[in-house]
Amino acid sequence: MEVFPSPLESAKFIAEHSKDVSVDEEGTRRVAESLFDKASAAEFGLAGWKSLHELNPRAADKEAVDWVFLVDTLNFSFWSEQEDRKYLVKYKDKTYSGYWSLCAAVNRALDDGIPITSASYFATMTLDQVRHVFRSDTEVPLPLIEERHRVLNESGIVLLEKFGGSFLTCVKMSEKSAQKLLRLVLENFPSYRDEAVFEKKKVSFYKRAQILVADTWSVLEGKGDGSFDDISSLTIFADYRIPQVLVHLKAMKYSEELMKKLREGTLFQSGDKEEVEIRGCSIWCCALICKYLQELYQKKGQDMQENINAVLLDYYLWDYARGHREEMKDIPFHRVRCIYY
Ligand SMILES: Nc1nc2c(c(CN[C@H]3C=C[C@H](O)[C@@H]3O)cn2[C@@H]2O[C@H](COP(=O)(O)O)[C@@H](O)[C@H]2O)c(=O)[nH]1
């Protein structure tokens, strides 16, 4: 497999050469200070992945790991062209949108006896079966349903042929290294290869591959096969929500020209200069926030190496974005239809 620079090296290079997106040094320091008290709270930690999110598995077993693999294989492109016309899923008397609508549809299928998280099932699912499992409770279907069908079949076949049908086998092969698991995922599952070329240099983001490793760490509660000693080497996951919240918090800035395009709802293509700058600067911005948070704790004589990393910062910011939709409505998100985020 072709070797690309890591997401962190890529992010540094992009941030140094970016024209329409900039990381605001002062802003990142202010965000780190604002998070200082929160970072030591329980919900900022690993346990929040289950305690804050009712649709996530409670267990930490093979089935729970396979649930994470299935969901993160489909964890992309939930945004809708119009805010008032979107894909929604009703599950147990609640209506879910965005990423959570995917989880609701998966849990609905499992409750209906459909073994959607079993590789032997999704390796040979038909397009009609995918449409049924992920049916909408509005007239708006889940975007990219054909691509989802393709990546499900492709990933299921690889799991069956190389990992005995379960992602837990892949996790065990990583021998408690997040970077080794990341490499195994990239080598074996093509749909996770989230890469681009910027200023003639190859760059990587690996958003779904990194969140798969992070969610595996979370669902296994950082124990046993999931006790990755290098989890802090992951970056945040460059989706379309994190950039929005970083601009809202004034840690990152867009040029007037880019802001105009975003406000007009411009549809960018995967790999466009603007998209690469937004994603790369987001990763670099959060790496700085993590660094400044660590420094603030060190000044206080507290070692927070275990409690502060890009994964936990990402989860916090992503949940923040979910909970502050109204306040953030004037900050547009960038629109790309792709299978990477
Ligand atoms: N950076 C980052 N991006 C994340 C996630 C998640 C959900 N995962 C965690 C959440 C709770 C559990 O703790 C899961 O671990 C989804 N996304 C992305 O967001 C977009 C969907 O957004 P909206 O349309 O608003 O639902 C889409 O690109 C999706 O890929 C994350 O955590 N971080």
Side-chain angles (χ1 to χ4, degrees):
M1 190 188 98
E2 214 182 326
V3 183
F4 276 67
S6 74
L8 190 59
E9 289 163 77
S10 303
K12 186 171 188 301
F13 174 76
I14 294 164
E16 286 165 353
H17 296 81
S18 175
K19 303 273 186 311
D20 285 297
V21 185
S22 60
V23 174
D24 184 286
E25 185 81 17
E26 245 330 281
T28 50
R29 286 185 186 282
R30 262 199 310 278
V31 170
E33 277 147 26
S34 72
L35 292 180
F36 182 72
D37 296 330
K38 296 184 175 65
S40 47
E43 64 273 6
F44 196 95
L46 181 52
W49 194 87
K50 290 183 177 176
S51 62
L52 298 175
H53 303 297
E54 76 251 7
L55 295 180
N56 283 350
R58 305 297 94 189
D61 55 14
K62 174 183 161 304
E63 284 67 37
V65 168
D66 283 333
W67 186 97
V68 162
F69 180 80
L70 185 274
V71 165
D72 280 333
T73 295
L74 297 172
N75 188 357
F76 55 83
S77 211
F78 305 103
W79 60 268
S80 50
E81 278 76 9
Q82 292 152 276
E83 251 321 281
D84 58 348
R85 278 176 45 78
K86 56 185 177 180
Y87 174 68
L88 296 174
V89 172
K90 279 201 192 81
Y91 177 66
K92 292 191 172 168
D93 303 329
K94 267 184 87 171
T95 299
Y96 295 91
S97 65
Y99 164 80
W100 291 119
S101 57
L102 171 74
C103 299
V106 168
N107 291 355
R108 176 178 64 183
L110 290 170
D111 290 1
D112 292 350
I114 298 171
I116 181 67
T117 56
S118 301
S120 52
Y121 182 77
F122 62 80
T124 56
M125 267 180 106
T126 63
L127 178 55
D128 281 346
Q129 286 173 318
V130 175
R131 283 203 178 102
H132 172 70
V133 166
F134 297 103
R135 63 195 179 280
S136 175
D137 284 300
T138 68
E139 75 285 2
V140 181
L142 178 61
L144 299 182
I145 202 76
E146 288 83 2
E147 287 79 357
R148 294 180 200 272
H149 174 230
R150 187 184 63 75
V151 299
L152 277 178
N153 287 170
E154 177 186 86
S155 304
I157 289 163
V158 171
L159 265 186
L160 289 171
E161 285 178 357
K162 296 193 173 179
F163 301 106
S166 172
F167 187 60
L168 183 60
T169 307
C170 196
V171 176
K172 286 179 182 301
M173 286 165 74
S174 75
E175 294 167 323
K176 301 179 183 174
S177 160
Q179 287 303 321
K180 198 164 172 198
L181 183 54
L182 178 63
R183 235 179 353 269
L184 277 168
V185 170
L186 295 171
E187 278 162 9
N188 292 286
F189 299 95
S191 78
Y192 281 84
R193 291 177 198 150
D194 174 9
E195 299 152 348
V197 174
F198 177 75
E199 301 285 341
K200 299 193 178 57
K201 239 176 88 73
K202 292 174 189 156
V203 292
S204 69
F205 301 106
Y206 299 144
K207 183 262 175 191
R208 283 202 294 112
Q210 291 197 99
I211 202 169
L212 172 57
V213 176
D215 284 348
T216 301
W217 178 61
S218 301
V219 81
L220 291 175
E221 300 167 13
K223 296 176 200 144
D225 296 316
S227 53
F228 300 128
D229 46 26
D230 57 343
I231 192 74
S232 301
S233 65
L234 297 184
T235 70
I236 58 115
F237 322 119
D239 71 322
Y240 52 84
R241 292 296 178 205
I242 295 294
Q244 213 180 358
V245 71
L246 292 175
V247 171
H248 169 70
L249 296 173
K250 301 189 180 0
M252 198 163 82
K253 285 196 174 75
Y254 293 151
S255 69
E256 260 317 299
E257 188 188 345
L258 174 55
M259 194 50 112
K260 183 169 177 296
K261 285 180 187 171
L262 293 172
R263 285 205 173 107
E264 286 164 356
T266 303
L267 184 66
F268 291 99
Q269 297 305 308
S270 229
D272 280 354
K273 187 170 169 29
E274 296 90 341
E275 185 225 19
V276 171
E277 290 186 6
I278 290 171
R279 300 183 78 198
C281 288
S282 296
I283 291 175
W284 189 244
C285 180
C286 287
L288 290 180
I289 293 171
C290 271
K291 187 179 95 167
Y292 296 146
L293 257 176
Q294 293 288 8
E295 285 171 3
L296 287 171
Y297 276 104
Q298 269 144 22
K299 267 189 213 141
K300 282 242 171 178
Q302 291 174 29
D303 174 15
M304 291 287 274
Q305 288 296 336
E306 294 306 304
N307 312 62
I308 309 283
N309 59 43
V311 171
L312 297 173
L313 173 63
D314 176 283
Y315 286 162
Y316 173 83
L317 291 173
W318 192 83
D319 284 339
Y320 180 97
R322 271 251 131 178
H324 295 73
R325 273 276 193 284
E326 193 44 37
E327 291 158 76
M328 289 171 45
K329 67 180 187 314
D330 294 339
I331 311 286
F333 63 85
H334 65 287
R335 297 176 177 209
V336 173
R337 275 290 175 230
C338 69
I339 65 167
Y340 300 113
Y341 62 98

Short mmCIF file of all heavy atoms in Angstrom, two decimals, residues 49 53 56 75-79 97-100 207 211 215 237 239-242 314-315 318-319 322 325 341, ligand 1:
data_model
loop_
_atom_site.label_atom_id
_atom_site.label_comp_id
_atom_site.label_asym_id
_atom_site.label_seq_id
_atom_site.Cartn_x
_atom_site.Cartn_y
_atom_site.Cartn_z
N TRP A 49 -18.32 8.09 26.54
CA TRP A 49 -18.73 7.50 25.26
C TRP A 49 -20.00 6.65 25.45
O TRP A 49 -20.87 6.66 24.60
CB TRP A 49 -17.58 6.61 24.75
CG TRP A 49 -17.71 6.20 23.32
CD1 TRP A 49 -17.28 6.88 22.22
CD2 TRP A 49 -18.30 4.99 22.83
NE1 TRP A 49 -17.58 6.18 21.06
CE2 TRP A 49 -18.20 5.00 21.42
CE3 TRP A 49 -18.91 3.90 23.44
CZ2 TRP A 49 -18.69 3.97 20.61
CZ3 TRP A 49 -19.41 2.87 22.63
CH2 TRP A 49 -19.29 2.91 21.24
N HIS A 53 -24.26 8.65 25.71
CA HIS A 53 -24.87 8.33 24.41
C HIS A 53 -25.65 7.02 24.47
O HIS A 53 -25.08 5.95 24.40
CB HIS A 53 -23.78 8.27 23.33
CG HIS A 53 -22.99 9.54 23.23
ND1 HIS A 53 -23.59 10.73 22.87
CD2 HIS A 53 -21.70 9.83 23.46
CE1 HIS A 53 -22.67 11.69 22.87
NE2 HIS A 53 -21.53 11.18 23.24
N ASN A 56 -25.13 4.07 21.91
CA ASN A 56 -23.87 3.30 21.85
C ASN A 56 -24.02 2.00 22.65
O ASN A 56 -24.76 1.96 23.63
CB ASN A 56 -22.72 4.13 22.44
CG ASN A 56 -22.24 5.19 21.45
OD1 ASN A 56 -22.63 5.18 20.29
ND2 ASN A 56 -21.42 6.12 21.92
N ASN A 75 -20.02 5.72 8.65
CA ASN A 75 -20.06 6.99 9.37
C ASN A 75 -19.63 8.16 8.49
O ASN A 75 -18.55 8.74 8.66
CB ASN A 75 -19.15 6.87 10.61
CG ASN A 75 -19.26 8.07 11.53
OD1 ASN A 75 -19.98 9.03 11.21
ND2 ASN A 75 -18.57 8.02 12.64
N PHE A 76 -20.50 8.50 7.52
CA PHE A 76 -20.16 9.62 6.63
C PHE A 76 -21.41 10.28 6.05
O PHE A 76 -22.46 9.66 5.93
CB PHE A 76 -19.23 9.14 5.49
CG PHE A 76 -19.75 7.98 4.67
CD1 PHE A 76 -20.64 8.17 3.62
CD2 PHE A 76 -19.34 6.68 4.94
CE1 PHE A 76 -21.10 7.10 2.84
CE2 PHE A 76 -19.80 5.60 4.18
CZ PHE A 76 -20.68 5.81 3.12
N SER A 77 -21.28 11.54 5.70
CA SER A 77 -22.21 12.28 4.85
C SER A 77 -23.67 12.22 5.26
O SER A 77 -24.51 11.68 4.55
CB SER A 77 -22.07 11.77 3.41
OG SER A 77 -22.36 12.84 2.52
N PHE A 78 -23.99 12.80 6.41
CA PHE A 78 -25.39 12.84 6.86
C PHE A 78 -26.03 14.19 6.61
O PHE A 78 -27.21 14.37 6.85
CB PHE A 78 -25.45 12.52 8.37
CG PHE A 78 -24.81 11.21 8.72
CD1 PHE A 78 -23.55 11.16 9.31
CD2 PHE A 78 -25.43 10.01 8.42
CE1 PHE A 78 -22.94 9.96 9.61
CE2 PHE A 78 -24.83 8.78 8.71
CZ PHE A 78 -23.58 8.76 9.31
N TRP A 79 -25.24 15.15 6.14
CA TRP A 79 -25.78 16.52 6.03
C TRP A 79 -26.83 16.61 4.92
O TRP A 79 -26.81 15.81 3.97
CB TRP A 79 -24.67 17.54 5.80
CG TRP A 79 -23.85 17.34 4.56
CD1 TRP A 79 -22.69 16.64 4.45
CD2 TRP A 79 -24.12 17.85 3.25
NE1 TRP A 79 -22.22 16.66 3.15
CE2 TRP A 79 -23.07 17.42 2.39
CE3 TRP A 79 -25.14 18.64 2.70
CZ2 TRP A 79 -23.02 17.74 1.04
CZ3 TRP A 79 -25.09 18.97 1.34
CH2 TRP A 79 -24.04 18.52 0.54
N SER A 97 -31.39 12.46 14.16
CA SER A 97 -30.90 13.02 12.89
C SER A 97 -29.39 12.82 12.80
O SER A 97 -28.76 12.41 13.77
CB SER A 97 -31.21 14.52 12.83
OG SER A 97 -30.44 15.18 13.84
N GLY A 98 -28.84 13.10 11.64
CA GLY A 98 -27.39 13.07 11.45
C GLY A 98 -26.80 11.71 11.79
O GLY A 98 -27.42 10.66 11.57
N TYR A 99 -25.61 11.77 12.41
CA TYR A 99 -24.91 10.52 12.76
C TYR A 99 -25.80 9.62 13.60
O TYR A 99 -25.84 8.39 13.41
CB TYR A 99 -23.64 10.87 13.52
CG TYR A 99 -23.04 9.70 14.26
CD1 TYR A 99 -22.26 8.76 13.58
CD2 TYR A 99 -23.27 9.50 15.61
CE1 TYR A 99 -21.72 7.67 14.23
CE2 TYR A 99 -22.74 8.40 16.28
CZ TYR A 99 -21.97 7.50 15.59
OH TYR A 99 -21.44 6.42 16.25
N TRP A 100 -26.56 10.20 14.51
CA TRP A 100 -27.37 9.38 15.42
C TRP A 100 -28.50 8.65 14.70
O TRP A 100 -28.94 7.59 15.14
CB TRP A 100 -27.89 10.20 16.61
CG TRP A 100 -26.81 10.62 17.52
CD1 TRP A 100 -26.44 11.89 17.83
CD2 TRP A 100 -25.89 9.75 18.23
NE1 TRP A 100 -25.38 11.88 18.71
CE2 TRP A 100 -25.02 10.59 18.95
CE3 TRP A 100 -25.73 8.37 18.31
CZ2 TRP A 100 -24.01 10.08 19.77
CZ3 TRP A 100 -24.72 7.85 19.12
CH2 TRP A 100 -23.88 8.70 19.84
N LYS A 207 -9.98 10.08 8.63
CA LYS A 207 -11.02 10.38 9.61
C LYS A 207 -11.75 9.11 10.08
O LYS A 207 -11.78 8.81 11.28
CB LYS A 207 -12.04 11.36 9.02
CG LYS A 207 -13.11 11.77 10.00
CD LYS A 207 -14.38 10.97 9.80
CE LYS A 207 -15.40 11.31 10.86
NZ LYS A 207 -16.53 10.36 10.84
N ILE A 211 -11.34 7.29 13.74
CA ILE A 211 -12.48 7.25 14.68
C ILE A 211 -12.86 5.80 14.96
O ILE A 211 -13.34 5.46 16.05
CB ILE A 211 -13.70 8.06 14.17
CG1 ILE A 211 -14.60 8.43 15.35
CG2 ILE A 211 -14.50 7.34 13.10
CD1 ILE A 211 -15.68 9.43 15.01
N ASP A 215 -13.21 4.66 18.61
CA ASP A 215 -14.46 4.08 19.11
C ASP A 215 -14.24 2.66 19.62
O ASP A 215 -14.92 2.21 20.55
CB ASP A 215 -15.53 4.09 18.00
CG ASP A 215 -16.11 5.49 17.78
OD1 ASP A 215 -15.86 6.38 18.61
OD2 ASP A 215 -16.80 5.68 16.77
N PHE A 237 -10.81 13.87 14.36
CA PHE A 237 -11.36 13.27 13.15
C PHE A 237 -11.94 14.38 12.28
O PHE A 237 -12.93 15.01 12.67
CB PHE A 237 -12.42 12.23 13.54
CG PHE A 237 -12.03 11.46 14.78
CD1 PHE A 237 -12.81 11.50 15.93
CD2 PHE A 237 -10.82 10.76 14.82
CE1 PHE A 237 -12.41 10.84 17.09
CE2 PHE A 237 -10.42 10.10 15.98
CZ PHE A 237 -11.22 10.13 17.11
N ASP A 239 -14.07 15.93 10.23
CA ASP A 239 -15.40 15.77 9.62
C ASP A 239 -15.89 17.15 9.19
O ASP A 239 -15.08 18.03 8.90
CB ASP A 239 -16.34 15.17 10.67
CG ASP A 239 -16.65 16.18 11.77
OD1 ASP A 239 -15.74 16.94 12.15
OD2 ASP A 239 -17.79 16.23 12.23
N TYR A 240 -17.24 17.37 9.14
CA TYR A 240 -17.72 18.71 8.77
C TYR A 240 -18.28 19.47 9.96
O TYR A 240 -18.77 20.59 9.84
CB TYR A 240 -18.76 18.63 7.63
CG TYR A 240 -19.92 17.69 7.82
CD1 TYR A 240 -21.06 18.07 8.53
CD2 TYR A 240 -19.89 16.40 7.29
CE1 TYR A 240 -22.13 17.21 8.71
CE2 TYR A 240 -20.97 15.53 7.46
CZ TYR A 240 -22.08 15.94 8.17
OH TYR A 240 -23.14 15.08 8.34
N ARG A 241 -18.22 18.89 11.15
CA ARG A 241 -18.70 19.59 12.35
C ARG A 241 -17.57 20.24 13.14
O ARG A 241 -17.73 21.35 13.64
CB ARG A 241 -19.46 18.62 13.27
CG ARG A 241 -20.77 18.14 12.69
CD ARG A 241 -21.77 19.26 12.51
NE ARG A 241 -23.02 18.77 11.92
CZ ARG A 241 -23.84 19.56 11.22
NH1 ARG A 241 -23.52 20.80 10.99
NH2 ARG A 241 -24.96 19.07 10.71
N ILE A 242 -16.45 19.56 13.30
CA ILE A 242 -15.34 20.11 14.09
C ILE A 242 -14.87 21.46 13.51
O ILE A 242 -14.75 22.43 14.28
CB ILE A 242 -14.17 19.10 14.19
CG1 ILE A 242 -14.57 17.85 14.97
CG2 ILE A 242 -12.93 19.77 14.80
CD1 ILE A 242 -14.86 18.04 16.44
N ASP A 314 -11.79 15.73 20.73
CA ASP A 314 -12.70 15.64 19.58
C ASP A 314 -14.12 15.32 20.04
O ASP A 314 -15.09 15.98 19.68
CB ASP A 314 -12.20 14.56 18.61
CG ASP A 314 -13.17 14.37 17.46
OD1 ASP A 314 -14.22 13.74 17.68
OD2 ASP A 314 -12.90 14.88 16.37
N TYR A 315 -14.23 14.26 20.85
CA TYR A 315 -15.56 13.86 21.33
C TYR A 315 -16.24 15.04 22.02
O TYR A 315 -17.43 15.31 21.84
CB TYR A 315 -15.46 12.71 22.32
CG TYR A 315 -15.16 11.34 21.77
CD1 TYR A 315 -14.70 10.35 22.63
CD2 TYR A 315 -15.34 11.01 20.43
CE1 TYR A 315 -14.42 9.06 22.17
CE2 TYR A 315 -15.06 9.73 19.97
CZ TYR A 315 -14.61 8.76 20.84
OH TYR A 315 -14.33 7.48 20.38
N TRP A 318 -17.23 17.66 19.42
CA TRP A 318 -18.31 17.18 18.54
C TRP A 318 -19.63 17.22 19.29
O TRP A 318 -20.65 17.67 18.79
CB TRP A 318 -18.02 15.76 18.06
CG TRP A 318 -18.93 15.34 16.94
CD1 TRP A 318 -18.79 15.62 15.61
CD2 TRP A 318 -20.16 14.60 17.08
NE1 TRP A 318 -19.85 15.09 14.91
CE2 TRP A 318 -20.70 14.46 15.78
CE3 TRP A 318 -20.84 14.04 18.17
CZ2 TRP A 318 -21.90 13.78 15.54
CZ3 TRP A 318 -22.03 13.36 17.93
CH2 TRP A 318 -22.54 13.25 16.63
N ASP A 319 -19.61 16.78 20.55
CA ASP A 319 -20.84 16.84 21.37
C ASP A 319 -21.25 18.29 21.58
O ASP A 319 -22.44 18.62 21.54
CB ASP A 319 -20.62 16.15 22.72
CG ASP A 319 -20.62 14.63 22.60
OD1 ASP A 319 -21.17 14.10 21.60
OD2 ASP A 319 -20.04 13.96 23.48
N ARG A 322 -23.04 19.52 18.63
CA ARG A 322 -24.40 18.96 18.60
C ARG A 322 -25.32 19.74 19.53
O ARG A 322 -26.48 19.95 19.25
CB ARG A 322 -24.37 17.49 19.05
CG ARG A 322 -24.12 16.53 17.92
CD ARG A 322 -25.37 15.75 17.62
NE ARG A 322 -25.68 15.75 16.23
CZ ARG A 322 -26.73 15.08 15.73
NH1 ARG A 322 -27.52 14.42 16.52
NH2 ARG A 322 -26.98 15.11 14.46
N ARG A 325 -26.27 23.91 18.28
CA ARG A 325 -26.69 24.12 16.88
C ARG A 325 -27.17 25.56 16.67
O ARG A 325 -26.71 26.25 15.76
CB ARG A 325 -27.86 23.19 16.55
CG ARG A 325 -27.43 21.85 16.08
CD ARG A 325 -27.12 21.88 14.59
NE ARG A 325 -27.02 20.54 14.09
CZ ARG A 325 -25.95 19.77 14.29
NH1 ARG A 325 -24.93 20.24 14.96
NH2 ARG A 325 -25.91 18.53 13.83
N TYR A 341 -16.15 11.14 5.31
CA TYR A 341 -16.56 11.77 6.59
C TYR A 341 -17.96 12.33 6.47
O TYR A 341 -18.44 12.56 5.38
CB TYR A 341 -15.58 12.85 7.00
CG TYR A 341 -15.46 14.02 6.04
CD1 TYR A 341 -16.14 15.22 6.26
CD2 TYR A 341 -14.65 13.94 4.89
CE1 TYR A 341 -16.03 16.30 5.37
CE2 TYR A 341 -14.54 15.01 4.01
CZ TYR A 341 -15.22 16.17 4.26
OH TYR A 341 -15.10 17.23 3.39
N1 LIG B 1 -15.02 14.57 14.58
C1 LIG B 1 -16.03 13.76 14.80
N2 LIG B 1 -16.90 13.52 13.81
C2 LIG B 1 -17.93 12.68 14.09
C3 LIG B 1 -18.12 12.05 15.31
C4 LIG B 1 -19.30 11.29 15.18
C5 LIG B 1 -19.97 10.45 16.19
N3 LIG B 1 -19.04 9.67 16.91
C6 LIG B 1 -19.05 9.79 18.32
C7 LIG B 1 -20.19 10.54 18.87
C8 LIG B 1 -20.64 9.97 19.96
C9 LIG B 1 -19.91 8.76 20.23
O1 LIG B 1 -18.97 9.06 21.21
C10 LIG B 1 -19.19 8.45 18.93
O2 LIG B 1 -17.92 7.95 19.10
C11 LIG B 1 -19.78 11.45 13.91
N4 LIG B 1 -18.94 12.31 13.28
C12 LIG B 1 -19.07 12.91 11.97
O3 LIG B 1 -19.90 14.07 12.16
C13 LIG B 1 -20.70 14.27 10.99
C14 LIG B 1 -22.14 14.06 11.40
O4 LIG B 1 -22.52 15.18 12.17
P1 LIG B 1 -24.10 15.49 12.34
O5 LIG B 1 -24.64 15.70 10.91
O6 LIG B 1 -24.15 16.72 13.20
O7 LIG B 1 -24.70 14.25 12.99
C15 LIG B 1 -20.25 13.22 9.99
O8 LIG B 1 -19.15 13.72 9.26
C16 LIG B 1 -19.76 12.11 10.92
O9 LIG B 1 -18.82 11.26 10.26
C17 LIG B 1 -17.17 12.31 16.34
O10 LIG B 1 -17.21 11.82 17.47
N5 LIG B 1 -16.15 13.17 16.03
#
